[in-house]
Amino acid sequence: MNLKHLSKEAEMTGQQVPYLLRAARGEALDRPPVWMMRQAGRYMKAYRDLRDRYPSFRERSEIPDVAIEISLQPWKAFQPDGVILFSDIVTPLPGMGVEMDIAEGKGPIIDSPIRTQAQVDQLRPLEPEESLPFIKQILTALRQEVGNQSTVLGFVGAPWTLAAYMVEGKGSKTYSVIKNMAFSDPTILHQLLGKLADSIATYIRYQIDCGAQVVQMFDSWAGQLSPQDYDTFALPYQQQVFKQVKATHPDTPLILLVSGSAGVLERMGKSGADIVSVDWSVDMADARARLGKDVKVQGNIDPGVLFGSKAFIRDRILDTIRKAGNRGHILNLGHGILPLTPEENAAFFFETAKQVDKLLATSTY
């Protein structure tokens, strides 16, 4: 369902457009909408208890009833303005012919890393209705559960980051295997990135058609590229994805996240994303100035702040919101909430964010 359709539907039924969608469309608001990346996860006791019953991440994310329950745990506990699909960025890879598993505490493991032209040639276009039928069940249920009280977010991995997993075979600290390919045999890598961009665009469109109202693309490893290499191996394929999605779903807001993005922030603004997720390596006031007034922002509180005192957490929230302004800002962490974060501090984060209109004088917001 696109944003204009939702707005008209809400007007006809007298229901309010979800707060996060209002921010995504650039409305001036009394407070920014708030959600957290990885808000359904290990810091919550409810999640850990369920994980004991379903020890495999793929079980937890691909069995619809389990994934729905996990996705809704933070919604039921904290009432965030965004409820995000519980999944992983590598979830669509088997549908392209790349077998993988997600090891607890280690992340994705690719059985046969992509290293040759023949392997790239064997990749098939993603057909999500066939290979990812659980996604529709999960997103449909989330929309039904939260209604217009919150916004349902989908998410995907970006071409460069998925390619890095596929070529490295697992997480990496040096990215030496994919950089060897990029800097010695880029033809194979560009073909891989192009195929990934097409399939990711298909996957985003599918998530939207299944109920996602906003979709975030994670290019988690693109910050490991130099700016000139980002321009070659990351940005063009981000643009390819967003251009294809906007051609069919022009009114659905799209968010781009790059970890360690201080050096490529302006480039992120050229990706075609509606909203740039800013990490804590950049001051929010600087991010606003560098991106320009037409680019909306998300973030950018250091997840480590949630280990601080309540007074410190409150001050950082207020500082970030002042710097971001009252238009086109979604309050979030700069990346995912950390596993050992005290659950009561997460609750305080949401409670404080929702009281910002009372905590800040209108003249200072």
mmCIF file with all atom_site columns, all heavy atoms in Angstrom, residues 162-174:
data_model
loop_
_atom_site.group_PDB
_atom_site.id
_atom_site.type_symbol
_atom_site.label_atom_id
_atom_site.label_alt_id
_atom_site.label_comp_id
_atom_site.label_asym_id
_atom_site.label_entity_id
_atom_site.label_seq_id
_atom_site.pdbx_PDB_ins_code
_atom_site.Cartn_x
_atom_site.Cartn_y
_atom_site.Cartn_z
_atom_site.occupancy
_atom_site.B_iso_or_equiv
_atom_site.pdbx_formal_charge
_atom_site.auth_seq_id
_atom_site.auth_comp_id
_atom_site.auth_asym_id
_atom_site.auth_atom_id
_atom_site.pdbx_PDB_model_num
ATOM 1  N N   . LEU A 1 162 ? 25.883 -7.671  0.576  1.00 0.00 ? 162 LEU A N   1
ATOM 2  C CA  . LEU A 1 162 ? 25.553 -9.068  0.280  1.00 0.00 ? 162 LEU A CA  1
ATOM 3  C C   . LEU A 1 162 ? 26.663 -9.726  -0.540 1.00 0.00 ? 162 LEU A C   1
ATOM 4  O O   . LEU A 1 162 ? 27.012 -10.891 -0.305 1.00 0.00 ? 162 LEU A O   1
ATOM 5  C CB  . LEU A 1 162 ? 24.226 -9.150  -0.467 1.00 0.00 ? 162 LEU A CB  1
ATOM 6  C CG  . LEU A 1 162 ? 22.977 -8.866  0.369  1.00 0.00 ? 162 LEU A CG  1
ATOM 7  C CD1 . LEU A 1 162 ? 21.726 -9.005  -0.490 1.00 0.00 ? 162 LEU A CD1 1
ATOM 8  C CD2 . LEU A 1 162 ? 22.884 -9.803  1.566  1.00 0.00 ? 162 LEU A CD2 1
ATOM 9  N N   . ALA A 1 163 ? 27.223 -8.990  -1.481 1.00 0.00 ? 163 ALA A N   1
ATOM 10 C CA  . ALA A 1 163 ? 28.334 -9.537  -2.270 1.00 0.00 ? 163 ALA A CA  1
ATOM 11 C C   . ALA A 1 163 ? 29.515 -9.861  -1.366 1.00 0.00 ? 163 ALA A C   1
ATOM 12 O O   . ALA A 1 163 ? 30.196 -10.886 -1.556 1.00 0.00 ? 163 ALA A O   1
ATOM 13 C CB  . ALA A 1 163 ? 28.750 -8.554  -3.365 1.00 0.00 ? 163 ALA A CB  1
ATOM 14 N N   . ALA A 1 164 ? 29.766 -9.008  -0.377 1.00 0.00 ? 164 ALA A N   1
ATOM 15 C CA  . ALA A 1 164 ? 30.879 -9.260  0.533  1.00 0.00 ? 164 ALA A CA  1
ATOM 16 C C   . ALA A 1 164 ? 30.672 -10.570 1.298  1.00 0.00 ? 164 ALA A C   1
ATOM 17 O O   . ALA A 1 164 ? 31.607 -11.371 1.439  1.00 0.00 ? 164 ALA A O   1
ATOM 18 C CB  . ALA A 1 164 ? 31.038 -8.091  1.497  1.00 0.00 ? 164 ALA A CB  1
ATOM 19 N N   . TYR A 1 165 ? 29.477 -10.807 1.793  1.00 0.00 ? 165 TYR A N   1
ATOM 20 C CA  . TYR A 1 165 ? 29.199 -12.088 2.448  1.00 0.00 ? 165 TYR A CA  1
ATOM 21 C C   . TYR A 1 165 ? 29.371 -13.250 1.475  1.00 0.00 ? 165 TYR A C   1
ATOM 22 O O   . TYR A 1 165 ? 29.955 -14.295 1.805  1.00 0.00 ? 165 TYR A O   1
ATOM 23 C CB  . TYR A 1 165 ? 27.775 -12.107 3.003  1.00 0.00 ? 165 TYR A CB  1
ATOM 24 C CG  . TYR A 1 165 ? 27.640 -11.515 4.379  1.00 0.00 ? 165 TYR A CG  1
ATOM 25 C CD1 . TYR A 1 165 ? 26.882 -10.365 4.596  1.00 0.00 ? 165 TYR A CD1 1
ATOM 26 C CD2 . TYR A 1 165 ? 28.267 -12.099 5.481  1.00 0.00 ? 165 TYR A CD2 1
ATOM 27 C CE1 . TYR A 1 165 ? 26.756 -9.814  5.858  1.00 0.00 ? 165 TYR A CE1 1
ATOM 28 C CE2 . TYR A 1 165 ? 28.145 -11.555 6.755  1.00 0.00 ? 165 TYR A CE2 1
ATOM 29 C CZ  . TYR A 1 165 ? 27.379 -10.414 6.937  1.00 0.00 ? 165 TYR A CZ  1
ATOM 30 O OH  . TYR A 1 165 ? 27.262 -9.877  8.195  1.00 0.00 ? 165 TYR A OH  1
ATOM 31 N N   . MET A 1 166 ? 28.853 -13.083 0.264  1.00 0.00 ? 166 MET A N   1
ATOM 32 C CA  . MET A 1 166 ? 28.879 -14.173 -0.708 1.00 0.00 ? 166 MET A CA  1
ATOM 33 C C   . MET A 1 166 ? 30.303 -14.508 -1.154 1.00 0.00 ? 166 MET A C   1
ATOM 34 O O   . MET A 1 166 ? 30.636 -15.664 -1.395 1.00 0.00 ? 166 MET A O   1
ATOM 35 C CB  . MET A 1 166 ? 28.020 -13.799 -1.916 1.00 0.00 ? 166 MET A CB  1
ATOM 36 C CG  . MET A 1 166 ? 26.538 -13.711 -1.581 1.00 0.00 ? 166 MET A CG  1
ATOM 37 S SD  . MET A 1 166 ? 25.586 -12.836 -2.847 1.00 0.00 ? 166 MET A SD  1
ATOM 38 C CE  . MET A 1 166 ? 25.591 -14.039 -4.165 1.00 0.00 ? 166 MET A CE  1
ATOM 39 N N   . VAL A 1 167 ? 31.155 -13.497 -1.278 1.00 0.00 ? 167 VAL A N   1
ATOM 40 C CA  . VAL A 1 167 ? 32.527 -13.716 -1.743 1.00 0.00 ? 167 VAL A CA  1
ATOM 41 C C   . VAL A 1 167 ? 33.436 -14.137 -0.592 1.00 0.00 ? 167 VAL A C   1
ATOM 42 O O   . VAL A 1 167 ? 34.249 -15.064 -0.726 1.00 0.00 ? 167 VAL A O   1
ATOM 43 C CB  . VAL A 1 167 ? 33.059 -12.448 -2.438 1.00 0.00 ? 167 VAL A CB  1
ATOM 44 C CG1 . VAL A 1 167 ? 34.539 -12.602 -2.774 1.00 0.00 ? 167 VAL A CG1 1
ATOM 45 C CG2 . VAL A 1 167 ? 32.254 -12.162 -3.707 1.00 0.00 ? 167 VAL A CG2 1
ATOM 46 N N   . GLU A 1 168 ? 33.309 -13.467 0.547  1.00 0.00 ? 168 GLU A N   1
ATOM 47 C CA  . GLU A 1 168 ? 34.135 -13.821 1.712  1.00 0.00 ? 168 GLU A CA  1
ATOM 48 C C   . GLU A 1 168 ? 33.709 -15.170 2.294  1.00 0.00 ? 168 GLU A C   1
ATOM 49 O O   . GLU A 1 168 ? 34.525 -15.911 2.828  1.00 0.00 ? 168 GLU A O   1
ATOM 50 C CB  . GLU A 1 168 ? 34.010 -12.749 2.790  1.00 0.00 ? 168 GLU A CB  1
ATOM 51 C CG  . GLU A 1 168 ? 34.533 -11.372 2.409  1.00 0.00 ? 168 GLU A CG  1
ATOM 52 C CD  . GLU A 1 168 ? 36.046 -11.249 2.557  1.00 0.00 ? 168 GLU A CD  1
ATOM 53 O OE1 . GLU A 1 168 ? 36.664 -12.120 3.218  1.00 0.00 ? 168 GLU A OE1 1
ATOM 54 O OE2 . GLU A 1 168 ? 36.610 -10.276 2.001  1.00 0.00 ? 168 GLU A OE2 1
ATOM 55 N N   . GLY A 1 169 ? 32.416 -15.465 2.228  1.00 0.00 ? 169 GLY A N   1
ATOM 56 C CA  . GLY A 1 169 ? 31.890 -16.703 2.789  1.00 0.00 ? 169 GLY A CA  1
ATOM 57 C C   . GLY A 1 169 ? 31.414 -16.566 4.220  1.00 0.00 ? 169 GLY A C   1
ATOM 58 O O   . GLY A 1 169 ? 30.756 -17.447 4.763  1.00 0.00 ? 169 GLY A O   1
ATOM 59 N N   . LYS A 1 170 ? 31.705 -15.422 4.843  1.00 0.00 ? 170 LYS A N   1
ATOM 60 C CA  . LYS A 1 170 ? 31.324 -15.164 6.237  1.00 0.00 ? 170 LYS A CA  1
ATOM 61 C C   . LYS A 1 170 ? 31.667 -13.716 6.543  1.00 0.00 ? 170 LYS A C   1
ATOM 62 O O   . LYS A 1 170 ? 32.140 -12.973 5.680  1.00 0.00 ? 170 LYS A O   1
ATOM 63 C CB  . LYS A 1 170 ? 32.071 -16.104 7.178  1.00 0.00 ? 170 LYS A CB  1
ATOM 64 C CG  . LYS A 1 170 ? 33.587 -15.992 7.070  1.00 0.00 ? 170 LYS A CG  1
ATOM 65 C CD  . LYS A 1 170 ? 34.308 -16.998 7.956  1.00 0.00 ? 170 LYS A CD  1
ATOM 66 C CE  . LYS A 1 170 ? 35.823 -16.857 7.789  1.00 0.00 ? 170 LYS A CE  1
ATOM 67 N NZ  . LYS A 1 170 ? 36.557 -17.826 8.648  1.00 0.00 ? 170 LYS A NZ  1
ATOM 68 N N   . GLY A 1 171 ? 31.452 -13.320 7.774  1.00 0.00 ? 171 GLY A N   1
ATOM 69 C CA  . GLY A 1 171 ? 31.869 -11.985 8.186  1.00 0.00 ? 171 GLY A CA  1
ATOM 70 C C   . GLY A 1 171 ? 33.376 -11.833 8.105  1.00 0.00 ? 171 GLY A C   1
ATOM 71 O O   . GLY A 1 171 ? 34.121 -12.809 8.100  1.00 0.00 ? 171 GLY A O   1
ATOM 72 N N   . SER A 1 172 ? 33.827 -10.598 8.022  1.00 0.00 ? 172 SER A N   1
ATOM 73 C CA  . SER A 1 172 ? 35.261 -10.340 7.833  1.00 0.00 ? 172 SER A CA  1
ATOM 74 C C   . SER A 1 172 ? 35.689 -9.089  8.575  1.00 0.00 ? 172 SER A C   1
ATOM 75 O O   . SER A 1 172 ? 34.891 -8.181  8.793  1.00 0.00 ? 172 SER A O   1
ATOM 76 C CB  . SER A 1 172 ? 35.566 -10.171 6.340  1.00 0.00 ? 172 SER A CB  1
ATOM 77 O OG  . SER A 1 172 ? 36.918 -9.815  6.136  1.00 0.00 ? 172 SER A OG  1
ATOM 78 N N   . LYS A 1 173 ? 36.949 -9.064  8.960  1.00 0.00 ? 173 LYS A N   1
ATOM 79 C CA  . LYS A 1 173 ? 37.527 -7.850  9.539  1.00 0.00 ? 173 LYS A CA  1
ATOM 80 C C   . LYS A 1 173 ? 38.393 -7.095  8.531  1.00 0.00 ? 173 LYS A C   1
ATOM 81 O O   . LYS A 1 173 ? 38.678 -5.915  8.711  1.00 0.00 ? 173 LYS A O   1
ATOM 82 C CB  . LYS A 1 173 ? 38.378 -8.203  10.769 1.00 0.00 ? 173 LYS A CB  1
ATOM 83 C CG  . LYS A 1 173 ? 37.556 -8.740  11.932 1.00 0.00 ? 173 LYS A CG  1
ATOM 84 C CD  . LYS A 1 173 ? 38.438 -9.015  13.139 1.00 0.00 ? 173 LYS A CD  1
ATOM 85 C CE  . LYS A 1 173 ? 37.591 -9.508  14.318 1.00 0.00 ? 173 LYS A CE  1
ATOM 86 N NZ  . LYS A 1 173 ? 38.436 -9.804  15.514 1.00 0.00 ? 173 LYS A NZ  1
ATOM 87 N N   . THR A 1 174 ? 38.807 -7.783  7.479  1.00 0.00 ? 174 THR A N   1
ATOM 88 C CA  . THR A 1 174 ? 39.720 -7.169  6.503  1.00 0.00 ? 174 THR A CA  1
ATOM 89 C C   . THR A 1 174 ? 39.098 -6.999  5.120  1.00 0.00 ? 174 THR A C   1
ATOM 90 O O   . THR A 1 174 ? 39.575 -6.179  4.337  1.00 0.00 ? 174 THR A O   1
ATOM 91 C CB  . THR A 1 174 ? 40.987 -8.029  6.351  1.00 0.00 ? 174 THR A CB  1
ATOM 92 O OG1 . THR A 1 174 ? 40.615 -9.329  5.834  1.00 0.00 ? 174 THR A OG1 1
ATOM 93 C CG2 . THR A 1 174 ? 41.698 -8.204  7.691  1.00 0.00 ? 174 THR A CG2 1
#
